Amino acid sequence: MNSFRIKRMKTSSFGAALLLCAAGASIAEPTTYDQFIADQRIAKRAKKSEAGQRRLDWWRDARFGMFIHWDPSSVAACEISWSKLYYDDVGDTIKPNPRPGPGLMGMNEWHEPWLDWFHPPVPREVYDNLPKSFYPGMFDADRIVAQAKAAGMKYIVQVSKHHNGFCMWNSEFTDFDMSATPFKRDIIGEMAKACEKAGMKYGIYYSQRDWHHPDYGPERMAKYNEYMRNQIKELLTRHPNISILWFDSGGYPFDLWEGDALYRMVHQLKPDIIINDRCGLPGDFSSPEQLIGSYDLERDWESNMTFTGFWSWHGYQTKVISYEECLQRLVQCAGGNGNLLMNIGPMPTGEIDTREADRLRRVGEWLKVNGSAIYGTKGGPFKPNENFASTRKGNRIYLHVMKWPESGNLTIPPLDAKLVKAVLMRGGKVDVKQSDAGFEISVPKESREPGVTTVGMEFDRNVMDLVPAVPPKPVSGGKPVKSSSRFSQMNGYEAARVNDGDPKTRWVVSDAVSAVCFPW
Ligand code: GLC
């Protein structure tokens, strides 16, 4: 049986004060807490304070980040945390635990693949003891960061603690951490340092849900919340370069986590931190999961997506999406004015799955040539569809063609601006004809690229606020890109929108909410 205990707080107040100063050194633009929390409660960017809008400038320009889901679950090639939801005695069949099943979350109807997360059914005895076999001997933080950099990614968000409660660093507050593994090394610490060295932005994912902590439960939340605050404080003080806080319990109310005390502490240590929408508030951006977000110029968003359908490593028998699909996701996100946080699930060896590494390397090659059409751009003016997406900067519109119509030429709707010049970003032949009916774009087959061909079009005026005269239609029977609205609901954005502008409206912990929350 698993025998990990929760440690008492050991940090002396003097030590804590020193760490606090270290964290303070990186503070760029302090805002008051009142301002900070008011911004967190507002969804639309334009309604936030100026500082609240500016804090996201680097993130918005970055467009492409790496998500890392990795912990001892990789040793059994099973799903991170969720494999614990359906334990089996010996591993023959899936048996529901007394915990609420996916049906309760209404998952079945809309996201069938989600059920696969529970396969293979790992016996309790095995799952709960995986940390004892976690020895990623090939782990090299500098190498992972270099791979992210070569892929053209500008930031990394790494799971520090997932729902199963295991901590990927050595925490003062629990033994259920790297010290319980034969490896012992502080993985989060090494990654934070490697990112700092390489000029890569670093963020942590931290799950408020904790299926290991003895005080995680309806009557005992105060103690658990203190533990959570201590841990986040520990991470932010040890690693002042943490720039993103990625929570993951969006449908749960802010007050359940004593959100005010939590955010106050976070703000004190890192006033310019960026926070997602999964702590019961709209936060800085929404986080559509496994879906491309909808075109939105008012609300920042970041799609988080996997290569395999799973978050953590499930072995070499899983399918990995192609390079072309990965690249198309990136241009669809940029074209919708959002970011892509592409997930990798490192192997138990500590390395990135070679197939995922291959896709990333190739996207990086593409970005070396086409990067100026992605970084620092705004989505549009055309809404992305299956055939093309568009981005823009100053006088330029970049057209990212994913699928050419049978006829050979791509037609796009008219704009109120005169085309001055059109080039293929990679070089080669392109011909663009402008008429009242729109633009006809022709690129000979030999000049097209696998996945995405990007055409740079220069106009006689600034195009940042241009709106197309007619909305574009899919060219050859293509379907529009799936909207993220269903998942946004799951993540509290819809509900948060109701609260928007009225800080007095608070969530209440209803019976229904606690039925879903506990004993999860
Ligand atoms: C989900 C899952 C989780 C994953 C995450 C990524 O809510 O619970 O396993 O870490 O979202 O968005």
Side-chain angles (χ1 to χ4, degrees):
M1 290 305 281
N2 108 44
S3 56
F4 302 102
R5 282 170 302 103
I6 303 299
K7 279 185 215 156
R8 288 259 177 77
M9 195 182 152
K10 286 189 233 147
T11 331
S12 69
S13 49
F14 177 66
L18 269 183
L19 291 170
L20 247 156
C21 294
S26 77
I27 295 165
E29 285 166 16
T31 45
T32 64
Y33 176 69
D34 287 350
Q35 187 60 76
F36 178 80
I37 195 69
D39 285 339
Q40 290 295 314
R41 291 181 183 282
I42 294 169
K44 285 196 179 162
R45 189 199 307 159
K47 287 202 203 160
K48 296 181 191 254
S49 72
E50 232 192 281
Q53 299 183 38
R54 263 208 319 270
R55 281 185 314 116
L56 261 74
D57 284 350
W58 74 260
W59 180 91
R60 221 174 274 129
D61 287 349
R63 283 293 180 239
F64 192 26
M66 174 184 271
F67 212 1
I68 304 181
H69 274 70
W70 185 41
D71 83 357
S73 308
S74 61
V75 175
C78 65
E79 188 54 20
I80 190 165
S81 305
W82 292 99
S83 287
K84 190 179 165 78
L85 195 65
Y86 276 61
Y87 286 124
D88 177 34
D89 303 338
V90 288
D92 278 340
T93 45
I94 288 185
K95 281 193 200 133
N97 257 358
R99 296 187 176 86
L104 188 67
M105 300 287 280
M107 293 287 184
N108 307 2
E109 337 127 36
W110 69 279
H111 207 167
E112 271 293 328
W114 195 79
L115 292 173
D116 284 346
W117 288 6
F118 306 115
H119 295 270
V122 185
R124 172 194 287 258
E125 209 43 46
V126 175
Y127 190 87
D128 284 347
N129 285 297
L130 287 173
K132 293 176 189 160
S133 309
F134 189 47
Y135 192 94
M138 297 296 286
F139 171 64
D140 175 352
D142 292 324
R143 179 154 180 245
I144 294 182
V145 175
Q147 283 172 294
K149 214 170 184 181
M153 291 162 146
K154 303 290 187 193
Y155 60 102
I156 293 178
V157 178
Q158 179 170 15
V159 168
S160 62
K161 183 193 83 162
H162 205 258
H163 314 327
N164 62 22
F166 182 81
C167 300
M168 290 288 280
W169 75 101
N170 286 319
S171 174
E172 291 276 331
F173 305 100
T174 181
D175 287 338
F176 193 47
D177 63 2
M178 287 305 294
S179 69
T181 71
F183 197 57
K184 307 278 182 228
R185 279 158 52 185
D186 175 351
I187 287 177
I188 296 294
E190 291 185 27
M191 284 295 293
K193 216 187 254 150
C195 282
E196 176 137 52
K197 241 192 329 189
M200 172 75 71
K201 293 274 189 185
Y202 187 60
I204 50 157
Y205 163 114
Y206 186 98
S207 165
Q208 306 95 302
R209 273 178 282 189
D210 192 317
W211 304 336
H212 178 270
H213 197 286
D215 294 314
Y216 180 72
E219 277 96 45
R220 317 183 289 281
M221 282 308 272
K223 255 180 115 180
Y224 171 73
N225 281 331
E226 193 188 337
Y227 169 77
M228 179 161 69
R229 280 196 300 275
N230 282 335
Q231 285 209 316
I232 293 176
K233 182 172 182 179
E234 181 178 52
L235 287 168
L236 293 181
T237 46
R238 278 190 199 170
H239 313 297
N241 63 320
I242 292 177
S243 314
I244 301 167
L245 190 46
W246 220 96
F247 283 118
D248 191 13
S249 298
Y252 302 32
F254 187 63
D255 290 347
L256 183 68
W257 317 115
E258 293 168 25
D260 204 56
L262 177 62
Y263 277 47
R264 203 175 277 279
M265 180 274 291
V266 168
H267 170 260
Q268 207 175 13
L269 294 173
K270 190 81 184 168
D272 56 352
I273 202 158
I274 292 175
I275 310 182
N276 71 346
D277 62 340
R278 298 197 186 180
C279 196
L281 296 183
D284 291 309
F285 63 92
S286 35
S287 53
E289 182 172 327
Q290 300 286 39
L291 290 170
I292 308 284
S294 314
Y295 181 79
D296 197 335
L297 299 179
E298 297 183 340
R299 163 78 171 157
D300 289 307
W301 59 266
E302 175 196 68
S303 283
N304 57 102
M305 302 181 89
T306 61
F307 274 108
T308 60
F310 301 106
W311 291 102
S312 55
W313 195 68
H314 279 235
Y316 271 97
Q317 83 284 2
T318 51
K319 282 204 189 108
V320 171
I321 59 157
S322 64
Y323 149 72
E324 285 84 357
E325 193 173 340
C326 181
L327 178 59
Q328 290 176 353
R329 287 180 182 180
L330 176 61
V331 303
Q332 281 171 321
C333 285
N337 203 39
N339 286 11
L340 174 64
L341 188 64
M342 196 62 209
N343 182 69
I344 57 153
M347 303 188 285
T349 60
E351 300 157 290
I352 303 181
D353 180 304
T354 47
R355 298 162 305 170
E356 296 180 355
D358 164 75
R359 312 301 187 258
L360 292 179
R361 186 187 50 75
R362 291 167 70 190
V363 172
E365 293 294 317
W366 185 91
L367 279 165
K368 264 190 213 140
V369 177
N370 295 285
S372 56
I374 299 291
Y375 305 123
T377 60
K378 173 171 155 180
F382 307 104
K383 288 188 185 176
N385 61 25
E386 270 199 354
N387 303 292
F388 72 94
S390 57
T391 50
R392 51 184 147 170
K393 203 191 291 178
N395 283 21
R396 294 202 179 135
I397 294 178
Y398 301 97
L399 211 62
H400 308 279
V401 187
M402 295 175 276
K403 203 154 77 189
W404 294 92
E406 293 291 303
S407 67
N409 292 351
L410 178 72
T411 319
I412 56 168
L415 286 175
D416 188 16
K418 197 172 157 344
L419 181 70
V420 177
K421 189 165 114 193
V423 294
L424 273 192
M425 297 295 284
R426 194 176 281 278
K429 223 176 146 305
V430 57
D431 186 41
V432 180
K433 287 197 176 65
Q434 183 172 19
S435 70
D436 291 347
F439 301 84
E440 202 178 318
I441 291 131
S442 121
V443 173
K445 285 218 168 83
E446 60 282 8
S447 296
R448 297 179 190 169
E449 287 186 62
V452 179
T453 306
T454 299
V455 184
M457 308 201 294
E458 196 171 311
F459 290 86
D460 65 343
R461 53 162 283 188
N462 184 297
V463 292
M464 294 309 266
D465 296 316
L466 261 195
V467 183
V470 200
K473 286 208 187 77
V475 180
S476 54
K479 279 181 265 115
V481 175
K482 270 195 235 162
S483 140
S484 67
S485 60
R486 183 75 198 255
F487 204 83
S488 299
Q489 266 177 28
M490 287 283 305
N491 286 330
Y493 176 41
E494 285 304 313
R497 253 206 331 212
V498 177
N499 288 352
D500 198 2
D502 183 3
K504 285 191 293 301
T505 320
R506 286 293 176 91
W507 295 69
V508 203
V509 187
S510 66
D511 288 351
V513 168
S514 32
V516 178
C517 292
F518 305 106
W520 280 35

